[in-house]
Amino acid sequence: MIKLKIPATSANLGAGFDALGLALSYYNYVEMEESDRVDIQSLDEMAVPVDETNLVYVSARDLFQVCGKQLKGMKIRQTNNIPMARGLGSSSACIIAGLVGANHILGSPLTKDDLVDLAAQIEGHPDNTAPALLGGIVTAVFDGRKVHWVKQEVYTKLKFTVMIPDFELKTEKARACLPKQVSHKDAVYNLSRAALFSASLLTGKLENLRTAVHDRLHQPYRMELIPRVREVFDIAYTHGAYGVYISGAGPAVMAIADVDNTYFSGKVRFSLENAGLTGWEVLDLTIDNEGTKIIT
Ligand code: HSE
């Protein structure tokens, strides 16, 4: 069996809807080998489909098909630390595990670029799948066939403190609430901030992040689906966050803070509890610059 380590991801980064994402130091593990039947188990309490609808399996089978091979079955063991349907790339982690694992099993017929493309075709957008594979912060444009991407490693003194509520928000629901059309003014509002975000993060002009995370394409609509989320934003800003945004499609909220803001997460946790927001877990993460690795 090979064993893969796949990072969680945070997509959109505020204004970069479907275009920007980064990998986080929070991991799923997947062991897999080819078999003559489908044999899937979760190694923790997280329930996963154990039949042919399992996303690791589906992705592995897609890769086999692309390479002209038929997959009869696979033995898969999953350890899922990344919570599902919270905006931290749990589906992308499964897709990337299936693709990278299957590609390795076949002797690596597909390149990294091919894997980025195939993952985006399965997921529909590249902002979680690309950083899950590549690590770092990834800027990606999916033209429907190919992904045009840049990965940049990040070595700033930042922590990414994620606040995760105890309820799920499925991406389909979080996308269904978005408007079909937006104004020219709102498009300009977003593209300028998305560009500002990566330039500021990578050059350390961190005071720009508070402006850069604002957007008019998805967060205002999704906030209506996440009870009391504005209070969560306010708490993180009160304790000195550089920027706060809905991670991916939500409902998790990401706060970017300085590593020298030593007690940031403790103070956020305390304030959330004081406000009666007891269902919110707070985790201190950093950027993962390596992406998915085969560890054994
Ligand atoms: N860019 C995607 C969205 C990320 O916001 O819907 C979630 O998969």
Side-chain angles (χ1 to χ4, degrees):
M1 295 255 269
I2 56 167
K3 186 171 184 179
L4 299 110
K5 178 184 176 190
I6 313 101
T9 49
S10 181
N12 299 329
L13 310 181
F17 182 72
D18 279 0
L20 295 179
L22 50 80
L24 295 162
S25 58
Y26 194 37
Y27 303 96
N28 276 3
Y29 295 88
V30 174
E31 294 164 74
M32 53 199 282
E33 70 183 8
E34 211 175 341
S35 165
D36 52 10
R37 65 191 180 93
V38 177
D39 169 13
I40 301 172
Q41 276 179 26
S42 170
L43 298 182
D44 52 27
E45 304 91 72
M46 188 90 78
V48 299
V50 294
D51 58 11
E52 293 190 359
T53 64
N54 178 287
L55 197 47
V56 177
Y57 183 77
V58 167
S59 307
R61 193 185 52 201
D62 283 0
L63 185 133
F64 267 62
Q65 267 167 12
V66 164
C67 297
K69 301 272 182 196
Q70 212 194 338
L71 181 62
K72 279 209 200 108
M74 193 158 266
K75 181 174 175 182
I76 296 172
R77 298 289 178 267
Q78 290 182 238
T79 305
N80 288 311
N81 296 309
I82 308 169
M84 292 189 186
R86 298 299 203 288
L88 292 168
S90 61
S91 307
S92 294
C94 291
I95 292 169
I96 294 299
L99 294 182
V100 173
N103 196 43
H104 182 83
I105 288 166
L106 287 179
S108 301
L110 297 195
T111 64
K112 197 161 264 190
D113 275 304
D114 294 331
L115 294 176
V116 172
D117 293 346
L118 190 48
Q121 281 159 15
I122 295 170
E123 177 84 331
H125 35 82
D127 50 337
N128 278 313
T129 49
L133 176 66
L134 305 165
I137 177 170
V138 178
T139 307
V141 171
F142 182 40
D143 68 14
R145 195 177 64 84
K146 274 200 67 58
V147 179
H148 308 269
W149 58 268
V150 173
K151 169 206 170 173
Q152 288 162 295
E153 297 188 3
V154 184
Y155 294 101
T156 47
K157 286 170 55 219
L158 292 176
K159 53 189 167 194
F160 286 74
T161 300
V162 64
M163 294 157 277
I164 311 170
D166 57 5
F167 55 87
E168 296 187 345
L169 176 55
K170 298 258 190 257
T171 300
E172 305 85 73
K173 186 175 175 193
R175 290 182 84 85
C177 75
L178 304 181
K180 294 275 174 287
Q181 293 190 323
V182 296
S183 68
H184 189 273
K185 203 171 153 198
D186 286 354
V188 173
Y189 184 97
N190 261 67
L191 69 87
S192 54
R193 281 162 180 76
L196 185 70
F197 186 95
S198 19
S200 301
L201 186 77
L202 290 159
T203 56
K205 211 151 186 282
L206 303 173
E207 69 273 20
N208 283 341
L209 293 181
R210 189 160 183 162
T211 297
V213 291
H214 286 156
D215 102 294
R216 291 186 181 162
L217 297 189
H218 70 108
Q219 292 184 99
Y221 307 98
R222 288 172 168 174
M223 278 181 165
E224 304 308 319
L225 306 176
I226 310 171
R228 301 185 64 190
V229 74
R230 285 181 180 80
E231 289 172 69
V232 177
F233 272 58
D234 288 346
I235 286 170
Y237 276 126
T238 300
H239 294 303
Y242 287 120
V244 185
Y245 64 89
I246 293 176
S247 182
V253 174
M254 185 65 78
I256 307 172
D258 203 291
V259 284
D260 292 335
N261 190 344
T262 319
Y263 303 113
F264 177 73
S265 54
K267 290 190 276 191
V268 165
R269 202 175 286 119
F270 181 81
S271 296
L272 288 171
E273 275 174 27
N274 258 3
L277 289 154
T278 47
W280 290 71
E281 186 187 358
V282 182
L283 285 178
D284 269 339
L285 304 173
T286 54
I287 291 191
D288 170 294
N289 281 311
E290 295 188 317
T292 294
K293 290 174 74 174
I294 298 171
I295 52 176
T296 54

